[in-house]
């Protein structure tokens, strides 16, 4: 073989080997990472440390460090924990470890340290520990005004909140009106046990009203009993309105009959009336008969009540009441009215009324959209489906830059290891602060990597639907 050919082959083999090296190296690191996890799980600390030491540039090294520290968090020193939180503050692991660390500090009642380590969180347990820490460190005046926002909830709160609620109550913050506000929230969520518990400090008469509400929740038709609700109460109308809405879930016509019987009898507020009637309408859409449709037509609908607007249009469409369809579509907010969905249905209504001349340009406009209603409109006029695909604009350079972000590299490894929850956490972390162009590039990268769900979710944030 000629020397020149041998040299060329040697260079080619070297190039191929060099091209394969990064992937092969990554495969080796991945295997070493899994071995290190196994060593940690079985308590083989020397082997874990040897393997970890050879993973200094592997994207998931922080996960090994997190697992190791979490395993001995009960014995870890403050400085070690704080060092991890500082080093990995730009990862989702920081928040996860901080939550565990704060729980340990609360168990140990190290309240000053808790306050210095706390960062704002949506976790109610940790929020309550913070308020408890403020009380224990002499900052009661700062803590107690914040308690009501946590206490006023329709479900039970974590046990960590109990001492805070006790101090708040003892200081006179839990008023009669606040108790009833929370009972209403609890009954809205069907938490009758909590409502009964909340009623314990109330008078005997108020406790009877709580029991009436619980009974109404279970048997809504009892709202029609005038004797049971003859006496006034600040929450009587709220109880009755909820009962009618619950009945509407199962039987819209019975709800209509009950509402028409009790609405003139009690001083419902305008908001309560609107809430009940709109809820009934949304549950009457597919109910046949003149009585149901008469109720739908008689309810007043405001500009902001989009769901009710749509419900009554559907009721009219099912009855092919084309005059009513055109009138109610015209009453939609302008932005909604101009969508391909309602453009199509307005064309159908006009066609149903015999005005095919006015219907055709509406069909043509809707058919320009690549959508379900666009395709239906195309069928009506014998047109072509709008299927033109538009590639998401994203510069190759920007895609490459995003691929090199540490959180994206971690997400890539986690996706490869099929650790879906952690992978999605990292992806959300990586894309949280991106602008529209960066999100498009990230979506393009996700598509290239086969992370199709994340590609869709990421692109959806930009409003770029092509």
């Amino acid at each position: 073989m000629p020397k020149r050919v041998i040299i060329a082959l040697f260079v080619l083999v070297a190039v191929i080997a060099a091209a394969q090296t990064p992937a092969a190296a990554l495969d080796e690191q991945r295997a070493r990472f899994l071995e290190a996890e196994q060593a940690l799980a079985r308590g083989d600390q020397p082997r874990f440390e040897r393997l970890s030491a050879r993973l200094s540039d592997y994207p998931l090294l922080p996960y090994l460090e997190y697992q190791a520290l979490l395993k001995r968090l009960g014995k870890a020193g403050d400085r070690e924990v704080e060092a991890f939180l500082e080093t990995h503050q730009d990862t989702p692991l920081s928040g996860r470890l901080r939550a565990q660390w704060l729980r340990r500090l609360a168990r140990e009642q190290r309240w000053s340290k808790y306050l210095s380590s706390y960062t704002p969180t949506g976790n109610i347990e940790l929020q309550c520990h913070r308020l408890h820490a403020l009380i224990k460190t002499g900052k009661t005046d700062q803590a107690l005004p914040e308690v009501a926002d946590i206490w006023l909830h329709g479900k039970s709160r974590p046990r960590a909140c109990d001492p805070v609620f006790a101090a708040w109550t003892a200081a006179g913050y839990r008023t009669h009106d606040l108790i009833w506000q929370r009972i209403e929230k609890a009954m809205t969520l069907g938490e009758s046990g909590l409502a009964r518990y909340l009623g314990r400090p109330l008078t005997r008469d108020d406790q009877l009203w709580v029991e009436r509400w619980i009974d109404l929740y279970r048997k809504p038709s009892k709202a029609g009993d005038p004797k049971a609700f003859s006496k006034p109460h600040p929450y009587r109308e709220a109880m009755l309105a909820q009962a009618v809405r619950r009945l509407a879930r199962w039987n819209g016509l019975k709800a209509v009959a009950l509402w028409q019987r009790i609405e003139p009898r009690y001083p419902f507020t305008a908001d309560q009336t609107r809430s009940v009637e709109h809820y009934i309408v949304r549950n009457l859409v597919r109910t046949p008969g003149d009585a149901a449709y008469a109720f739908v037509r008689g309810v007043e609908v405001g500009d902001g009540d989009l769901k009710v607007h749509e419900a009554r249009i559907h009721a009219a469409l099912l009855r092919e009441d084309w005059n009513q369809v055109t009138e109610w579509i015209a009453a939609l907010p302008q932005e909604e009215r101009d969508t391909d969905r309602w453009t199509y249905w307005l064309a159908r209504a006009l066609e149903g009324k015999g005005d095919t001349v006015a219907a055709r340009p509406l069909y043509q406009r809707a058919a320009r959209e690549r959508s379900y209603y666009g395709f239906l409109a195309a069928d009506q006029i014998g047109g072509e489906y709008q299927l033109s695909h538009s590639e998401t604009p994203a510069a190759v350079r920007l895609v490459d830059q995003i691929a090199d972000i540490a959180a994206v590299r971690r997400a890539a490894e986690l996706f490869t290891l099929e650790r879906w929850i952690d992978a999605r956490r990292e992806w959300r972390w990586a894309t949280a602060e991106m602008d529209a162009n960066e999100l498009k590039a990230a979506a393009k990268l996700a598509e290239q990597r086969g992370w199709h769900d994340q590609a869709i979710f990421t692109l959806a944030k930009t409003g770029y639907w092509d």
Side-chain angles (χ1 to χ4, degrees):
M1 185 179 296
K3 184 178 180 180
R4 187 171 57 182
V5 175
I6 294 173
I7 293 172
L9 288 174
F10 178 81
V11 170
L12 180 61
V13 170
V15 168
I16 294 172
Q20 291 176 335
T21 296
L26 194 57
D27 287 341
E28 184 179 341
Q29 287 182 317
R30 193 176 297 132
R32 194 174 295 144
F33 169 79
L34 295 173
E35 288 180 34
E37 280 190 324
Q38 294 168 4
L40 181 64
R42 63 176 180 265
D44 189 346
Q45 191 66 23
R47 180 165 177 75
F48 169 76
E49 292 176 358
R50 286 197 304 273
L51 290 166
S52 299
R54 299 170 65 189
L55 292 168
S56 59
D57 60 343
Y58 181 57
L60 298 187
L61 178 60
Y63 281 79
L64 283 182
E65 296 172 348
Y66 169 77
Q67 292 172 39
L69 183 52
L70 188 62
K71 190 172 183 179
R72 53 187 175 78
L73 187 60
K75 299 178 181 179
D78 294 358
R79 289 186 179 179
E80 184 180 7
V81 174
E82 289 165 351
F84 181 93
L85 295 175
E86 175 68 23
T87 302
H88 300 297
Q89 61 181 312
D90 291 331
T91 76
L93 297 173
S94 177
R96 291 165 64 185
L97 185 72
R98 188 182 299 277
Q100 296 298 326
W101 173 237
L102 290 172
R103 290 186 178 97
R104 175 190 156 184
L105 294 174
R107 285 195 301 272
E108 296 173 353
Q109 299 186 29
R110 297 172 58 193
W111 301 119
S112 294
K113 189 65 181 176
Y114 188 97
L115 292 174
S116 66
S117 301
Y118 179 85
T119 57
T121 175
N123 186 294
I124 298 299
E125 177 192 1
L126 300 182
Q127 289 180 31
C128 282
H129 281 318
R130 171 184 165 271
L131 294 174
H132 194 187
L134 288 170
I135 293 169
K136 287 294 187 178
T137 54
K139 301 180 180 69
T140 303
D141 291 345
Q142 180 183 341
L144 295 186
E146 299 182 28
V147 176
D149 287 341
I150 294 176
W151 187 80
L152 273 173
H153 193 273
K155 288 187 176 290
S156 295
R157 300 314 237 166
R159 288 185 180 180
C161 300
D162 290 349
V164 176
F165 292 162
W168 179 73
T169 300
Y173 281 84
R174 190 182 68 177
T175 64
H176 177 272
D177 187 50
L178 281 176
I179 291 173
W180 270 106
Q181 286 182 44
R182 191 175 182 196
I183 288 172
E184 181 178 24
K185 289 178 180 294
M187 290 307 302
T188 299
L189 298 178
E191 296 286 332
S192 57
L194 175 60
R196 185 176 284 122
Y197 171 79
L198 292 168
R200 287 181 183 178
L202 300 176
T203 64
R204 178 60 183 160
D205 185 57
D206 269 340
Q207 288 177 1
L208 290 175
W209 276 103
V210 173
E211 291 301 325
R212 286 192 188 99
W213 200 338
I214 293 171
D215 195 36
L216 259 184
Y217 187 87
R218 293 170 179 165
K219 301 173 183 176
S221 60
K222 287 192 174 184
D225 182 358
K227 293 182 180 179
F229 299 95
S230 58
K231 293 181 180 180
H233 187 275
Y235 283 84
R236 178 183 63 181
E237 283 69 38
M239 301 176 192
L240 295 168
Q242 185 194 63
V244 177
R245 289 195 300 270
R246 281 186 56 74
L247 185 59
R249 292 184 185 181
W250 310 317
N251 192 314
L253 287 177
K254 283 188 177 180
V256 169
L258 177 60
W259 178 243
Q260 290 174 339
R261 195 158 70 249
I262 70 171
E263 192 271 334
R265 191 183 297 164
Y266 304 101
F268 293 99
T269 66
D271 283 344
Q272 287 170 337
T273 298
R274 175 173 161 273
S275 171
V276 169
E277 292 183 347
H278 287 187
Y279 194 89
I280 292 174
V281 166
R282 298 206 316 262
N283 285 273
L284 275 180
V285 170
R286 297 188 178 279
T287 302
D290 294 338
Y293 194 42
F295 186 85
V296 170
R297 295 181 67 180
V299 170
E300 293 185 9
V301 183
D303 289 341
D305 304 318
L306 184 57
K307 289 184 178 180
V308 190
H309 271 298
E310 294 176 349
R312 64 181 187 171
I313 295 172
H314 290 155
L317 285 170
L318 288 169
R319 292 165 172 82
E320 297 187 357
D321 185 351
W322 303 120
N323 288 326
Q324 194 65 80
V325 170
T326 55
E327 179 183 333
W328 282 341
I329 289 179
L332 285 168
Q334 180 73 42
E335 184 177 355
E336 186 67 21
R337 187 167 67 244
D338 290 341
T339 62
D340 54 320
R341 175 190 186 188
W342 295 118
T343 299
Y344 168 80
W345 282 119
L346 179 58
R348 287 278 284 117
L350 290 171
E351 189 176 51
K353 291 164 63 176
D355 193 350
T356 55
V357 174
R360 187 168 184 82
L362 292 174
Y363 278 135
Q364 289 172 335
R365 191 171 84 197
R368 290 197 290 268
E369 300 297 323
R370 185 181 61 187
S371 68
Y372 173 72
Y373 288 102
F375 298 159
L376 289 180
D379 283 341
Q380 291 295 118
I381 59 175
E384 296 292 328
Y385 291 159
Q386 178 59 255
L387 294 174
S388 57
H389 172 66
S390 182
E391 190 72 19
T392 302
V396 174
R397 177 183 56 80
L398 186 55
V399 174
D400 291 342
Q401 288 176 355
I402 287 173
D404 201 41
I405 294 173
V408 173
R409 292 175 60 222
R410 291 193 298 270
E413 276 302 290
L414 290 164
F415 273 118
T416 300
L417 293 172
E418 298 185 357
R419 299 187 181 184
W420 312 119
I421 294 175
D422 283 333
R424 291 181 181 116
R425 281 178 180 149
E426 289 284 1
W427 185 258
R428 286 195 298 270
W429 183 276
T431 58
E433 303 298 327
M434 288 184 177
D435 61 27
N437 286 331
E438 291 169 333
L439 286 170
K440 289 175 184 177
K444 176 65 69 176
L445 176 66
E447 178 195 26
Q448 292 171 357
R449 299 282 179 87
W451 310 335
H452 303 300
D453 58 339
Q454 298 308 304
I456 293 168
F457 298 148
T458 304
L459 190 61
K461 294 179 184 178
T462 70
Y464 186 82
W465 296 108
D466 264 345

